[in-house]
């Protein structure tokens, strides 16, 4: 009998994953991990670690499966949180959940699961895995979107390797969230009606500036507003004017993927902030500038000079771009899908979790990989992960947005 170690979190998804695996005849073992101890910056009212553990133990007892505990907080701080602080310090907005899956759930956690005799490791992610073979008998693992479009979590697993996927199981990837809760209720699992966790993986909801001030100092700076009719936007790129030129004009491609460059003299000071590294492109909350016809949004972050650039309204041109650049550090889930230099391919893409898939084209040039969208995208944010999908829902690759 194959042994599966399930990452039992105290939520309904991992609970049902454990039940379904048990039903399939696996030898199921529960492993609960604690990855965070500090409370500074966390918002009151969130479910605590102690409560999560109680629910996980109740589920394990109900299913009559062994329950184990591991503290991975040291690895989590070094491999996820320190990276997060560093990215914010340099004016980029990281996605710690992607790093948590790559570095903790499917690495450090797997090592602990192997000590328990695991053949496989399972989680409650809404995604799917498929095994494919080539003509020579080689095996590759496809990572596919979950069938519930409102809960698909493949984006968070976009950095997993073939080795990590080889032992991974995703028992609820074919189910709708409503069905998962029904199963939990039918089985009398304590987590059936428990609300989903939110916020940073294993940390929870946080007041981000307060959380980041553990390592990043507050520093007064100017908030500058850039008008929508600023000369900075004198020559906007439109799909009609450039889409046929990218194949032949690398300079035009690089220009489309470059963010707007702002100077203090391009706008006017409308307020102050406590640190440019606490803000991200597209952000609205936290600016505390009133008296405007439309809400202000962050359109640029200059950490070197500690300046935040803003614009009024959801459709401000500073929020919209057609392309982005990702450099050479590209992760292909399957090596057989890797692009060749000079190649272009059509994919469905997203630049953040829960964003509806957008159509566009990838261009691999000597200087790196470009992503070009059919329609302008709002709030392209350096530090976030861009992902691309094939027609069958396969997540093909991902990379950090550089600009």
């Amino acid at each position: 009998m194959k042994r599966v170690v399930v990452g039992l979190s105290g939520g309904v998804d991992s609970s049902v994953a454990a039940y379904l695996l048990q039903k399939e005849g696996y030898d199921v073992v529960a492993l609960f991990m604690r990855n965070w101890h500090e409370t500074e910056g966390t918002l009151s009212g969130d479910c605590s670690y102690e409560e999560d553990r109680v629910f996980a133990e109740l589920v394990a007892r109900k299913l009559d499966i062994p329950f184990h505990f591991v503290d991975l907080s040291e690895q989590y701080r070094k491999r996820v949180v320190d990276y997060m602080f560093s990215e914010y310090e340099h004016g980029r907005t990281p996605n710690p959940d992607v790093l948590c899956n790559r570095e903790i759930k499917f690495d450090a956690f797997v090592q602990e699961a192997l000590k328990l005799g695991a053949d496989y490791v399972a989680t409650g992610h809404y995604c799917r895995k498929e095994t494919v073979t080539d003509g020579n008998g080689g095996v590759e693992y496809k990572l596919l979107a979950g069938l519930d479009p409102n809960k698909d979590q493949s984006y968070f697993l976009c950095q997993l390797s073939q080795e990590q996927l080889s032992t991974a199981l995703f028992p609820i990837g074919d189910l709708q969230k409503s069905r998962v809760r029904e199963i939990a209720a039918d089985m009398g699992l304590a987590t059936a009606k428990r609300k989903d966790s939110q916020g940073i993986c294993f940390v929870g909801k946080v007041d981000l500036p307060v959380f980041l001030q553990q390592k990043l100092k507050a520093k007064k700076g100017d908030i500058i507003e850039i008008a929508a009719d600023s000369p900075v936007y004198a020559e906007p790129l439109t799909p009609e004017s450039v889409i046929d030129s990218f194949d032949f004009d690398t300079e035009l491609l690089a220009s489309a993927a470059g963010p707007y460059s702002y100077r203090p003299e391009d706008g006017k000071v409308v307020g102050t902030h406590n640190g440019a590294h606490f803000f991200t492109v597209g952000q609205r909350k936290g600016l505390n500038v009133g008296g405007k016809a439309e809400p202000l949004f962050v359109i640029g972050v200059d950490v070197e000079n500690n300046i935040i650039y803003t614009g009024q309204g959801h459709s401000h041109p500073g929020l919209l771009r057609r392309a982005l650049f990702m450099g050479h550090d590209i992760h292909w889930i399957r090596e057989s899908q890797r692009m060749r230099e000079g190649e272009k391919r059509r994919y469905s893409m997203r630049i953040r979790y829960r964003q509806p898939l957008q159509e566009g084209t990838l261009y691999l040039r000597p200087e790196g990989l470009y992503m070009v969208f059919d329609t302008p995208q709002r709030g392209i944010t350096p530090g976030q992960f861009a992902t691309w999908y094939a027609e069958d829902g396969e997540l093909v690759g991902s990379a950090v947005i550089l600009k």
Side-chain angles (χ1 to χ4, degrees), residues 143 158 330-339 345 347-348 362 387-398:
L143 177 64
C158 68
I330 311 302
H331 180 69
W332 301 93
I333 299 289
R334 293 195 288 147
E335 186 63 27
S336 63
Q337 302 304 299
R338 181 181 294 274
M339 290 174 63
R345 288 186 196 167
Y347 284 112
S348 298
L362 290 184
T387 58
W388 47 97
Y389 293 75
E391 289 184 358
D392 63 352
E394 178 186 4
L395 198 163
V396 179
S398 67

Side-chain angles (χ1 to χ4, degrees), residues 49-221:
Y49 144 76
E50 289 83 4
E51 187 175 327
D52 289 336
R53 179 168 178 170
V54 166
F55 273 91
E57 288 193 83
L58 286 172
V59 169
R61 193 176 307 148
K62 176 70 175 181
L63 297 178
D64 193 25
I65 59 176
F67 180 88
H68 299 271
F69 166 84
V70 63
D71 190 324
L72 298 175
S73 55
E74 183 178 352
Q75 294 97 314
Y76 184 78
R77 174 175 287 281
K78 289 179 179 178
R79 299 166 69 173
V80 178
V81 177
D82 286 353
Y83 167 85
M84 178 180 166
F85 282 126
S86 176
E87 287 292 278
Y88 274 107
E89 184 178 16
H90 290 91
R92 296 183 291 268
T93 305
N95 192 310
D97 286 358
V98 173
L99 267 294
C100 178
N101 282 308
R102 186 184 75 186
E103 302 292 329
I104 304 300
K105 291 181 181 176
F106 291 91
D107 192 340
F109 179 84
V110 171
Q111 298 308 311
E112 295 299 324
L114 291 175
K115 296 176 184 177
L116 297 174
D119 296 295
Y120 299 101
V121 170
T123 66
H125 284 100
Y126 286 86
C127 64
R128 296 170 293 144
K129 185 182 86 170
E130 185 177 303
T131 303
V132 293
T133 56
D134 58 28
N136 300 318
V139 174
E140 284 187 316
Y141 301 97
K142 297 172 67 172
L143 177 64
L144 298 126
L147 291 186
D148 186 337
N150 295 315
K151 289 297 295 181
D152 169 39
Q153 294 174 313
S154 58
Y155 177 87
F156 290 135
L157 305 180
C158 68
Q159 287 279 294
L160 294 193
S161 67
Q162 285 290 295
E163 182 181 1
Q164 289 172 314
L165 283 172
S166 68
T167 58
L169 297 178
F170 306 111
I172 65 170
D174 294 317
L175 301 178
Q176 301 290 309
K177 179 73 176 194
S178 57
R179 179 56 184 150
V180 169
R181 289 205 179 275
E182 286 177 4
I183 293 172
D186 290 344
M187 289 303 300
L189 300 181
T191 54
K193 295 183 179 180
R194 200 172 186 224
K195 68 178 183 178
D196 295 339
S197 61
Q198 295 180 318
I200 300 171
C201 185
F202 292 113
V203 177
K205 283 187 175 182
V206 299
D207 182 328
L208 193 58
V210 173
F211 182 79
L212 293 176
Q213 282 177 37
Q214 294 177 67
K215 286 195 174 182
L216 306 181
K217 293 182 179 179
K219 182 182 179 183
K220 287 286 186 182

